[in-house]
Amino acid sequence: MTARATDQGGSAAAHCVILFASIHDVTAADRELRDAQIWCDMIPTPRSLSSDCGMSLEFRCRDLSAVRRRLQDARARPRGFFRRAGEQYVPLPAREGEGSRPATEGESGPS
Amino acid sequence: MIYLDHGATSFPKPPAVVRAVRAYLEESAANPGRSGHRLSAAAARVIYDARAALARLLGAPDPRQIVFTGNATGALNLALHGVLRPGDHVVTTSMEHNSVMRPLQHLRQTRGIRVRCAPADVAGRIDAGAIADALETDTRLVVVNHASNVVGTIAPLAEIRRAIGDRLLLVDAAQTAGATPIDVTAPQIDLLAFTGHKSLLGPQGTGGLYIRPGVALEPLMPGGTGSRSESDSQPDFLPDRYEGGTPNGPGIAGLGAGVSELLERGMDAVREHEARLLERLLARLQEIAGVTLWGPHDAAQRIPAVSLRLDGMAPSELAHALDRRYGVLARAGLHCAPQAHRTLGTFPEGSLRLSCGWTNTPQEIDGAAGAIAELAREAMR
């Protein structure tokens, strides 16, 4: 279990992660979500998702719809959305309504 | 002291710029975005904000299209080396700085590119028709100085764009970024090189290149970016493609603060302030017997850089006397632009250049002109 001592998102909420192409995109998304008062945190890119030595963006899964909308406005280029499940990351569909297992707002995952 | 060497670098820098550099060094000087911890994130935010501010100032729709370099020379080299292939034909002008002329000469020797220089007139004015005449059917790139660093003459970019059709246009905005409003979309500019330490009011060691979406360049300096780390190949997305290595974080922090200050003031107001100073300077200097001025008489056609000579005194002597006796700081010589001086007829001695900036006042202009008038009287005795 990864300690999340600085988690301001509330420990009860499931966390999702967005991978981006570059640190520019991560920061653009971070700015956009903060401006919209959506909690997020820049974190080291999880090794199981990518061998990049860069950063990714963590947010609460219940904000997924709002996050997708804001990222479209910010023209940030997400490479993938993932829901954290313990030490695993479950891929989420690229767009809302796609795929068989979209994350739903308010969903609580294992933590 | 009266500082009239803003064309070389702006001085002093705004307090906000100094504060931003200091804050970066004290509070967020980790490697931007590489390490994953909070200071790394803080540094990445500073770089992002500077890039976004520059995009806003230059009218670039997407901040990713702004790539940081160490200076305008770095940006010009990235553009020239990135675009030009063996045998390519390039058109440039006789007003260019060595930061364009030397890379072109180097590429002539190493890649066999062909270069044609469109002549400017004795006031440094570039005629779009002369550029059109220099084009060949396979001209790949046109390189134009947005304003001369010697006489301040502004190039007619809209006319040049019309004259060259859809050929690639590289604009050297070292003297104009932060001095005059720029919109990279109107007229369409494909590549625009700027320095951070002149009118953008940032620290030395900063600069960048705007790259229009769809313009493909070969990277000049591949290296680590913190992205696609598993691959030996340079990423194909901007800005990472052209930003190998750790950026100049403290410098970019300062540059971002300088650009924010310009955005707050408004570029029209900045331009207006400097145009008034230029008008005053030209008027005062024209009254002095023994002074010869170069460049257009109309201040609207130039940024506030004035080249002059004084009868009976070499430009270097004049600069030295102004500094030591009057505390007026200006620059004499060829200003790294020998071709421009050949065009003006001031080669090889060069000229004395007075270049105004954001801190200058009408009183300082009068003080500098008064000092030159006194030296002119002495020289005529």
Side-chain angles (χ1 to χ4, degrees):
Chain A
M1 174 64 60
T2 305
R4 212 179 274 134
T6 57
D7 183 353
Q8 294 154 37
S11 58
H15 283 243
C16 285
V17 169
I18 319 170
L19 246 56
F20 291 92
S22 77
I23 187 64
H24 173 85
D25 293 277
V26 182
T27 321
D30 173 77
R31 274 272 178 264
E32 184 70 19
L33 298 189
R34 281 167 191 265
D35 286 352
Q37 298 190 313
I38 297 171
W39 179 85
C40 64
D41 194 14
M42 284 165 70
I43 61 167
T45 296
R47 287 308 90 160
S48 59
L49 292 182
S50 167
S51 52
D52 276 6
C53 46
M55 302 183 83
S56 295
L57 203 62
E58 190 175 36
F59 64 98
R60 289 180 298 212
C61 296
R62 69 180 183 218
D63 293 328
L64 181 62
S65 296
V67 167
R68 287 188 199 278
R69 270 198 308 278
R70 298 300 300 204
L71 293 197
Q72 245 170 356
D73 294 347
R75 303 207 297 177
R77 300 169 295 191
R79 282 170 60 199
F81 288 78
F82 300 86
R83 186 175 59 81
R84 189 188 174 101
E87 294 302 313
Q88 305 299 312
Y89 289 88
V90 180
L92 297 171
R95 277 178 288 275
E96 199 143 21
E98 283 183 1
S100 56
R101 200 196 177 291
T104 54
E105 294 193 39
E107 178 183 23
S108 63
S111 58
Chain B
M1 186 179 81
I2 300 174
Y3 185 82
L4 290 176
D5 198 17
H6 289 269
T9 197
S10 53
F11 180 86
K13 305 300 180 188
V17 171
V18 178
R19 280 199 301 273
V21 174
R22 186 181 180 120
Y24 186 92
L25 289 170
E26 288 183 344
E27 296 162 21
S28 58
N31 202 318
R34 305 293 209 276
S35 305
H37 50 66
R38 70 187 73 181
L39 284 188
S40 182
R45 287 190 187 103
V46 172
I47 307 283
Y48 173 83
D49 287 344
R51 203 188 303 276
L54 276 160
R56 206 152 67 240
L57 189 80
L58 300 174
D62 185 345
R64 288 183 194 90
Q65 305 300 131
I66 306 279
V67 170
F68 286 116
T69 60
N71 41 45
T73 300
L76 289 162
N77 271 276
L78 168 57
L80 294 169
H81 285 258
V83 163
L84 294 172
R85 298 185 293 239
D88 275 347
H89 185 255
V90 179
V91 169
T92 189
T93 82
S94 69
M95 291 307 290
E96 303 306 312
H97 190 274
N98 275 342
S99 56
V100 166
M101 290 303 194
R102 287 180 174 175
L104 286 178
Q105 175 65 5
H106 178 74
L107 289 167
R108 196 171 0 209
Q109 290 164 347
T110 57
R111 292 189 194 171
I113 66 161
R114 296 165 295 131
V115 181
R116 185 127 176 235
C117 216
D121 70 10
V122 291
R125 279 184 291 250
I126 297 162
D127 175 25
I131 289 180
D133 290 345
L135 294 173
E136 293 185 8
T137 50
D138 65 342
T139 300
R140 180 159 169 75
L141 179 70
V142 175
V143 190
V144 177
N145 201 328
H146 191 192
S148 162
N149 67 310
V150 179
V151 280
T153 316
I154 298 171
L157 290 185
E159 290 172 31
I160 291 169
R161 168 47 79 196
R162 279 196 293 276
I164 68 171
D166 58 2
R167 290 178 174 85
L168 287 177
L169 175 62
L170 165 59
V171 174
D172 173 4
Q175 293 291 327
T176 51
T180 192
I182 291 176
D183 181 347
V184 291
T185 65
Q188 179 185 292
I189 294 169
D190 302 299
L191 297 155
L192 182 127
F194 60 88
T195 185
H197 70 93
K198 293 182 179 176
S199 293
L200 292 177
L201 309 176
Q204 293 167 18
T206 59
L209 182 69
Y210 160 76
I211 304 171
R212 182 177 63 76
V215 175
L217 301 177
E218 283 303 313
L220 186 60
M221 200 168 62
T225 56
S227 53
R228 300 280 159 90
S229 303
E230 73 286 357
S231 171
D232 286 340
S233 298
Q234 194 69 6
D236 58 2
F237 46 82
L238 271 65
D240 299 33
R241 184 161 179 75
Y242 306 110
E243 289 187 354
T246 301
N248 174 6
I252 293 170
L255 173 58
V259 173
S260 296
E261 182 129 343
L262 291 169
L263 286 167
E264 269 173 40
R265 264 185 240 166
M267 279 312 304
D268 288 336
V270 170
R271 169 84 178 131
E272 178 67 17
H273 169 71
E274 295 184 0
R276 295 288 82 78
L277 293 175
L278 175 61
E279 278 172 4
R280 192 177 187 98
L281 182 60
L282 289 172
R284 295 286 179 274
L285 293 173
Q286 277 160 2
E287 294 166 356
I288 303 171
V291 164
T292 306
L293 292 167
W294 277 265
H297 296 305
D298 180 5
Q301 292 182 30
R302 52 203 290 192
I303 56 162
V306 173
S307 258
L308 64 90
R309 283 239 197 117
L310 190 56
D311 291 348
M313 196 179 245
S316 54
E317 282 178 63
L318 176 57
H320 189 60
L322 282 170
D323 176 14
R324 297 305 160 90
R325 290 174 54 188
Y326 300 95
V328 175
L329 277 53
R331 179 172 170 183
L334 293 176
H335 312 98
C336 295
Q339 284 296 343
H341 277 285
R342 284 191 181 95
T343 303
L344 303 169
T346 47
F347 187 86
E349 293 85 1
S351 62
L352 178 86
R353 183 187 67 185
L354 304 170
S355 47
C356 314
W358 73 287
T359 53
N360 292 129
T361 63
Q363 293 71 29
E364 288 183 321
I365 297 301
D366 293 350
I372 292 170
E374 216 167 282
L375 290 168
R377 282 194 293 276
E378 286 179 23
M380 285 205 283
R381 274 187 209 134

